Amino acid sequence: MIKRIKALERASQPLEPNAEQRRAMLDSVIPYTEDFLESLPTAPTYCVTEDQGRALLDHPISENGDDLNQLLDLVRENLDKPGINPASGGHLGYIPGGGIYPSALGDYIADVTNRYSGVFFANPGAVRMENFLLRWMAELIGYPSTAAGNLTSGGSIANLTAIVTARDARRVTAAKIPRSVIYCTGQVHHSVGKAIRLAGLVECVKRDVPMDQRFRMDAAALEHQIAQDKAAGLNPFLVISSAGTTDVGAVDPLGEIGDLAAAHGLWHHVDGAYGAFFLLCDDVRQMLESICNSDSVSMDPHKGLFLPYGSGAVLVKDREALYNAHCYQANYMQDALAEQEELSPADLSLELTKHFRGLRLWLPLKLLGLKPFRAALTEKILLARYCYERLKEMDNFELGPTPDLSVVVYRYIPQDGDVNEFNKRLVRAIHADGRVFISSTQINGNIFLRLTALCFRTHLDTVDLALEILNEKARELENVG
Ligand SMILES: *Cc1c(COP(=O)(O)O)cnc(C)c1O
């Protein structure tokens, strides 16, 4: 038996490369990532390849390993080429972010050291770091120091966490669900609908609150609806607003909604996955600062702080509410809260063992300071305003609402023919070109194109290029049509 154990030990040795082998691995990986970064400015932002990465399937997992350089070739061909390149400054669709390099180093360190960040006693430093970052975000939001939160994998889980917390805090138990009411606008992100369903609240009454011309929640309409619902014996308990809608970047009147929520005992959740970090910009701070007038907020460092994907955050003003909804040893709650210096992520989220997300956020913030983040975000606000002004001057483009943040919405009105069909063809032509990527959406049943400036690599020349391509493709399509 000893012989066999020893043989297995030798056979498992590749799991622990020695210093020289590690060096050799890095000597392959670093040139690959350097190549990727150096070629970004000229690489396409969007590409449809013939096999869409299917060649990966020709390389099954087998007993013996392959050569690292060959594997990196496979990655280069099948992952880096087809689809959207979210690292590219030309990514102007949906809500981009980019993926700053020091975060990758944070992940590298977190993965090599494999810190257990789920529970305080397992790695107090890791939990302190994550809670410290959450307190920094809470301060940015304007929450008191008694707020708590969790670093999530993204905005969707942040929204789910907040909605579950709201449900429990307002004691919406099964029997109350059919007469409990949730309020949001038609512009709320689809992850909210998903979270409502996952939270078991799909049978609640859902009110689509009317919006103003700029797609912001109409607070007077909300008040009217709440009053009506209360009079009808319903149980209004949750209003979800957006600090930057995904479609048009509209910021709901957070202060008024917060006041109404407080007056009527509703939980106010703000989905700030796209826009909350714009609080760092003096230019738009005023529009966002009433975000403090809420019970919970979602925000996405993998959008607004340009982190690689897998970084969201949820903040809850009343930490006991978050704890009560997520802890797994509820009966000692009060004492534990009083005694623990730092709450453990495992008690504040649906995860136990998890990726140590703190380091990928802490390292860039500490290494670079806030200044470049503020600058990049403010630049994006100004780029959107610039883009809006330029589009105004361009022939036959119709503009959506003035951008609150960094999303510009517009469409082309052709000389004749179906406007929606034309704009669908226009977005397809831009995708086929691939130098930049923009997305489309539907507003009041019409197809509109969107340009979102949020990637830290998006600059003035990117926006100029996008406008040039828009003009060029629209003209080409006009001539064909
Ligand atoms: C992106 C986004 C989400 C979803 O966040 P993920 O990080 O993609 O899960 C939710 N709400 C808004 C407003 C968003 O922009």
Side-chain angles (χ1 to χ4, degrees):
M1 182 155 84
I2 300 229
K3 221 171 122 189
R4 188 156 173 234
I5 291 173
K6 279 296 184 188
L8 291 169
E9 182 181 322
R10 276 192 304 279
S12 70
Q13 188 278 326
L15 298 179
E16 183 68 289
N18 63 28
E20 196 185 323
Q21 290 165 323
R22 291 196 296 268
R23 187 72 245 167
M25 287 181 181
L26 285 176
D27 283 346
S28 292
V29 170
I30 291 173
Y32 159 75
T33 53
E34 280 306 306
D35 238 31
F36 176 86
L37 291 173
E38 287 299 315
S39 64
L40 262 182
T42 50
T45 301
Y46 183 66
C47 175
V48 181
T49 61
E50 205 166 298
D51 74 348
Q52 296 285 289
R54 206 169 284 118
L56 278 174
L57 310 182
D58 300 335
H59 299 266
I61 306 295
S62 58
E63 279 303 309
N64 294 309
D66 290 327
D67 173 69
L68 180 56
N69 289 313
Q70 282 174 10
L71 298 178
L72 292 173
D73 286 342
L74 271 178
V75 169
R76 200 179 276 121
E77 277 306 304
N78 296 290
L79 273 74
D80 296 348
K81 278 196 186 147
I84 303 170
N85 184 351
S88 166
H91 183 16
L92 306 165
Y94 314 114
I95 307 284
I100 46 175
Y101 189 70
S103 276
L105 300 181
D107 272 348
Y108 177 72
I109 296 168
D111 290 0
V112 169
T113 59
N114 198 26
R115 292 294 165 229
Y116 196 94
S117 56
V119 177
F120 183 72
F121 103 93
N123 195 306
V127 172
R128 275 190 208 283
M129 181 183 281
E130 294 201 342
N131 287 350
F132 166 80
L133 290 164
L134 287 157
R135 282 193 290 270
W136 170 72
M137 285 186 249
E139 208 178 300
L140 183 65
I141 294 295
Y143 275 1
S145 58
T146 48
N150 184 246
L151 295 180
T152 64
S153 58
S156 301
I157 301 295
N159 282 335
L160 174 64
T161 307
I163 287 167
V164 163
T165 304
R167 178 197 67 196
D168 287 7
R170 291 296 177 267
R171 304 189 199 295
V172 178
T173 47
K176 285 192 206 156
I177 284 176
R179 56 177 194 89
S180 293
V181 194
I182 302 174
Y183 303 82
C184 46
T185 72
Q187 285 283 313
V188 81
H189 191 268
H190 72 264
S191 62
V192 166
K194 197 170 170 180
I196 287 170
R197 183 154 49 88
L198 288 169
L201 297 174
V202 76
E203 286 160 346
C204 284
V205 181
K206 227 183 116 235
R207 299 290 185 214
D208 238 347
V209 183
M211 294 174 279
D212 67 10
Q213 296 280 320
R214 289 173 61 181
F215 303 96
R216 297 172 299 193
M217 188 184 284
D218 178 344
L222 172 67
E223 183 168 30
H224 182 71
Q225 187 68 57
I226 293 173
Q228 247 184 11
D229 289 339
K230 278 193 156 174
L234 298 176
N235 173 40
F237 83 100
L238 173 61
V239 53
I240 298 162
S241 64
S242 306
T245 60
T246 310
D247 258 357
V248 306
V251 179
D252 286 329
L254 305 173
E256 290 170 65
I257 297 168
D259 289 345
L260 284 173
H264 293 279
L266 277 73
W267 184 281
H268 179 206
H269 173 63
V270 183
D271 182 357
Y274 156 53
F277 281 108
F278 282 111
L279 277 162
L280 289 166
C281 305
D282 289 339
D283 292 67
V284 288
R285 210 191 137 75
Q286 210 186 350
M287 191 192 308
L288 291 164
E289 64 194 357
S290 302
I291 198 168
C292 60
N293 203 353
S294 64
D295 297 289
S296 54
V297 175
S298 299
M299 54 209 298
D300 257 356
H302 66 204
K303 289 174 180 167
L305 290 179
F306 325 116
L307 257 61
Y309 291 140
S311 282
V314 61
L315 296 165
V316 178
K317 193 179 265 172
D318 172 6
R319 64 178 180 171
E320 290 195 22
L322 179 64
Y323 186 92
N324 284 336
H326 291 91
C327 70
Y328 57 95
Q329 282 162 311
N331 36 7
Y332 75 100
M333 208 256 344
Q334 294 295 347
D335 297 346
L337 272 182
E339 276 169 29
Q340 276 184 39
E341 210 184 326
E342 294 284 353
L343 295 177
S344 293
D347 281 325
L348 303 171
S349 74
L350 49 81
E351 294 178 306
L352 178 56
T353 304
K354 66 181 197 65
H355 176 54
F356 174 27
R357 299 185 184 103
L359 207 51
R360 52 157 48 201
L361 178 54
W362 181 83
L363 192 64
L365 285 175
K366 289 298 295 167
L367 182 69
L368 310 174
L370 273 181
K371 215 194 254 179
F373 291 93
R374 282 189 209 280
L377 284 168
T378 308
E379 179 197 15
K380 302 307 165 272
I381 295 283
L382 297 185
L383 284 178
R385 291 179 189 169
Y386 167 81
C387 178
Y388 190 80
E389 291 307 318
R390 285 283 315 273
L391 277 166
K392 244 193 220 168
E393 294 160 6
M394 279 161 57
D395 288 338
N396 307 328
F397 278 94
E398 180 190 291
L399 284 152
T402 328
D404 278 345
L405 299 172
S406 72
V407 183
V408 183
V409 182
Y410 52 92
R411 62 178 182 160
Y412 189 84
I413 308 292
Q415 303 297 337
D416 45 40
D418 187 276
V419 181
N420 284 344
E421 271 313 308
F422 188 95
N423 282 281
K424 277 189 209 166
R425 274 189 285 143
L426 181 55
V427 81
R428 278 202 296 270
I430 291 162
H431 289 176
D433 177 89
R435 280 175 289 171
V436 298
F437 181 86
I438 58 164
S439 53
S440 64
T441 188
Q442 275 195 38
I443 294 177
N444 301 331
N446 291 318
I447 304 288
F448 273 81
L449 308 189
R450 300 168 63 258
L451 184 152
T452 311
L454 196 62
C455 175
F456 68 101
R457 294 189 176 109
T458 298
H459 302 300
L460 192 57
D461 54 355
T462 333
V463 174
D464 280 336
L465 176 66
L467 291 169
E468 189 188 308
I469 295 171
L470 263 173
N471 220 351
E472 178 189 308
K473 298 297 163 198
R475 205 147 326 146
E476 276 174 26
L477 287 176
E478 281 270 38
N479 291 336
V480 175

